[in-house]
Every structure is written in structure tokens, then in C-alpha cells.
Amino acid sequence: MIRYALQFNSTSDVIRRTIIMVLLIAICGGVTVSVISTNYFANNPQGLADRAYLVGAFAGVLIGLPIVMAFFFAAKHIYGAHKEVEKIAREDFLTGLLNRREFFSQIASTDAVSGQSPVLSREGMLLIIDADNFKRINDNHGHLSGDKALIAIANAVGSTARTIDIVSRIGGEEFAVLVSDASHESGADIATQILLAVNSIDLTIDSEVLALSVSIGAVRVSRGLSLSVAMKAADAALYRAKHGGKNMVVFGGVTDGLAKPAKSPLAPGDTPDVSSKVA
């Protein structure tokens, strides 16, 4: 019963279970006071006075304890609710990755000079990742199966990225990764590893093994670069990957020398030497 009283999910639970705890304490305390006062205090003026002090002290505890417990439970409930709201505000509900808003807030900040256009606060390689032929999965197997595919892709992307990288589902079947402090070579290596990880997913739906793949647009970015410019460059590279055969990485650039234009195609089921596919 005590364990039940310490678990709650709403404000009404706080009140109800605080009352349960107080009643338990009152019953146990009342029995204890009765036993002590009966057996250990003599039936004389001094004994009666000691008994009165004991009963008064118990009454004070009984009055004050509910207030303390109510504040404790309420504070614990509010803290838990705050953490849950914070989690909901940061994470994508389906995949558990960062959502679009949190992703942008972690990779960019408002330009201190103009106070308008957000600029990148990190350096590395920005990857925009889009699941290939996703509409076909939804149409042929239903949206729940599509959700399973998205979760599987999200797990593949998240497990491939490093702990210092920022991984997000930015909407629909589209994901984004900021490979932090990555050179072109190391960023390209992680992008190609993501391709391989998605290709290796073993997802069976309706007795059919789905061949999953993604297309990736990649661009090397630096601190102070406009967020919108970086996103447009990565989106343009993704567009070329989609129309170039899918299941490949296409590297774009925002300024001369910032990124090396190239593409790394990968046919479903292929497992090439990663270094041979990175331009």
C-alpha cells in the first residue's frame, strides 16, 4: 500500500494518496500512543501530564505531516510533469530523435549583428536524409508499416552517428544530421555508413522483406553560415540524389572550396569499400 501511495500520475493522485499515507500514519501512531500511554505512564498527576505532552506532540506531527507530504508529492509531480513536457517539446514522438525545432535550435543561433537570420553555431557536414520510395510502403502495407520503417531507419541513422553529432527527424520521412567538426572525408564516411546501415535493415512486413534505402544530400558547413543557405544547399544536393537514381550521397557546396561536389551511388544490397565511393 505504501508503494502504491508513492506512485501518482495526476494532481488528484497526489491528494488521494497523501490522504492514504496520513491515515496510515494516524492509525499506526494512534495505536502506538495508546499502548505507550497505557503501559508506561502512571495514573497520577505527573503521569497524566506526561501523557498529555505525548498526545500533544503526536497531534502536532499529525497536523504538520500532511502539509509537508502534500508539498513533497506536489513538487515531485510538478517536476515529473515538467520533465515530460520538456521531453515532448524536444523529441519526435515516433522515433525518439530530436524534432525539427530542437535540431535547429542546437545547430544555429540568431545573428548577433542583424538579429534576424539564424546562423550556424557549429562546424561540420550537414546531411539531409530522405527515405526512398516511402509512399509505396504506405500504399502497399499501410501507415503503421510505414511507421515501422521510419523507426528502423531512425535507429540506423542514430546508431551510425557519433555521440557528438546531432540527429533529427525534421518531418515526414526526412531526417537531418549535423556531423560535428567533420572534414569532408570524415563526413562523407559517416554518410556512406548511413547508406549501408539502412540497406542492411531486415524489416519483414506481411511476409515481405522490405528493401530500405535513403538518399542523402550533404554539404560542408562552417560557423556563421546562414541556416537557410545551408539547408538550401543540402536540399539541392538531396534533389540531385533523388533524381540521380536514389540510394546515394550527393555532396554539394555553398561557396567555392567549402564543399567538394561529388556523388556516391550505392545499389541496394551492394557493400563496397567505403573509401572507394568517397570523392
Side-chain angles (χ1 to χ4, degrees), residues 143-200:
H143 289 278
L144 290 179
S145 297
D147 288 347
K148 291 180 181 179
L150 285 177
I151 293 171
I153 292 173
N155 290 338
V157 174
S159 62
T160 303
R162 306 163 303 173
T163 55
I164 63 172
D165 300 331
I166 303 173
V167 185
S168 168
R169 179 191 177 200
I170 57 176
E173 62 270 25
E174 196 167 75
F175 303 85
V177 178
L178 194 286
V179 187
S180 298
D181 299 323
S183 64
H184 176 83
E185 288 72 20
S186 60
D189 180 60
I190 289 178
T192 305
Q193 288 181 44
I194 290 174
L195 284 183
L196 294 171
V198 174
N199 286 161
S200 67

Side-chain angles (χ1 to χ4, degrees), residues 238-251:
L238 174 63
Y239 179 86
R240 296 199 299 275
K242 281 291 187 181
H243 290 78
K246 302 179 181 179
N247 197 34
M248 66 171 63
V249 185
V250 171
F251 301 95

Side-chain angles (χ1 to χ4, degrees), residues 17-201:
R17 297 177 188 184
T18 298
I19 293 174
I20 292 174
M21 290 294 292
V22 170
L23 289 176
L24 285 173
I25 294 172
I27 293 172
C28 294
V31 172
T32 302
V33 169
S34 177
V35 171
I36 292 175
S37 62
T38 301
N39 294 286
Y40 295 97
F41 293 102
N43 192 16
N44 55 50
Q46 182 59 45
L48 293 175
D50 292 339
R51 184 183 300 178
Y53 291 144
L54 178 63
V55 173
F58 173 72
V61 171
L62 188 61
I63 293 172
L65 188 59
I67 298 174
V68 174
M69 291 180 66
F71 274 111
F72 171 76
F73 286 156
K76 185 176 180 181
H77 173 65
I78 292 172
Y79 175 78
H82 173 74
K83 297 298 288 185
E84 184 64 24
V85 170
E86 186 179 63
K87 180 180 179 181
I88 293 172
R90 296 178 67 251
E91 293 185 359
D92 173 61
F93 72 96
L94 179 65
T95 63
L97 300 178
L98 297 180
N99 58 31
R100 182 186 184 92
R101 179 178 180 179
E102 182 64 19
F103 177 73
F104 288 150
S105 72
Q106 289 198 21
I107 71 169
S109 59
T110 302
D111 189 345
V113 178
S114 65
Q116 296 178 352
S117 177
V119 296
L120 294 179
S121 56
R122 295 172 179 264
E123 181 176 344
M125 181 168 284
L126 176 63
L127 309 178
I128 303 298
I129 306 165
D130 191 80
D132 294 331
N133 307 313
F134 186 73
K135 185 177 184 300
R136 185 185 305 168
I137 297 176
N138 281 336
D139 291 344
N140 294 343
H141 302 281
H143 289 278
L144 290 179
S145 297
D147 288 347
K148 291 180 181 179
L150 285 177
I151 293 171
I153 292 173
N155 290 338
V157 174
S159 62
T160 303
R162 306 163 303 173
T163 55
I164 63 172
D165 300 331
I166 303 173
V167 185
S168 168
R169 179 191 177 200
I170 57 176
E173 62 270 25
E174 196 167 75
F175 303 85
V177 178
L178 194 286
V179 187
S180 298
D181 299 323
S183 64
H184 176 83
E185 288 72 20
S186 60
D189 180 60
I190 289 178
T192 305
Q193 288 181 44
I194 290 174
L195 284 183
L196 294 171
V198 174
N199 286 161
S200 67
I201 293 173

